[in-house]
Amino acid sequence: QVQLVESGGGLVQAGGSARLSCVASGIIFSRNAMGWYRQAPGKQRELVAVITNGGSINYADSVKGRFTISRDNAKNTVYLQMNSLKPEDTAVYTCVADTRLRSYWGQGTQVTVSS
């Protein structure tokens, strides 16, 4: 059974930082691309950042220079370090594992940035 469990969300002041973590189980973590999506109220879900099994990284333009995705294969964990947070970063952030057969999604964690 595949499980992705996110943590690290919460209420943050604008300009502050937060780090999200996602622990994966039930997959061979090191073989898969991992990503973070977010969805704000009334908006479409968007890809925030992705890191491949080879370490290639892509970011949404809206977070470039502020967010950093990383992974620790020994801990089956992917991280999203978020700096210089803005109110428009408020959303539910969800971890995704992209395997050959399908994608697996976590439950999501709420990040609220107050102005």
Side-chain angles (χ1 to χ4, degrees):
Q1 181 181 0
V2 177
Q3 281 192 315
L4 301 174
V5 180
E6 301 101 334
S7 62
L11 178 63
V12 184
Q13 286 193 332
S17 298
R19 188 174 83 153
L20 306 182
S21 300
C22 171
V23 180
S25 60
I27 59 172
I28 304 175
F29 182 83
S30 62
R31 292 185 182 178
N32 302 304
M34 300 294 298
W36 288 94
Y37 281 76
R38 68 183 180 186
Q39 187 166 22
K43 294 188 177 181
Q44 286 190 329
R45 185 169 59 198
E46 66 169 339
L47 176 63
V48 176
V50 62
I51 182 168
T52 69
N53 59 336
S56 296
I57 292 172
N58 279 295
Y59 296 101
D61 287 343
S62 57
V63 306
K64 281 181 181 176
R66 300 188 298 121
F67 290 12
T68 302
I69 189 171
S70 61
R71 64 190 297 161
D72 186 336
N73 290 339
K75 295 182 179 180
N76 285 5
T77 302
V78 61
Y79 304 97
L80 186 67
Q81 177 67 44
M82 305 183 294
N83 298 328
S84 302
L85 283 162
K86 306 175 181 180
E88 51 264 43
D89 294 318
T90 295
V92 175
Y93 286 73
T94 305
C95 170
V96 178
D98 187 16
T99 73
R100 288 185 181 182
L101 296 179
R102 55 166 288 184
S103 295
Y104 295 92
W105 296 75
Q107 291 298 308
T109 184
Q110 176 72 45
V111 174
T112 302
V113 183
S114 63
S115 57

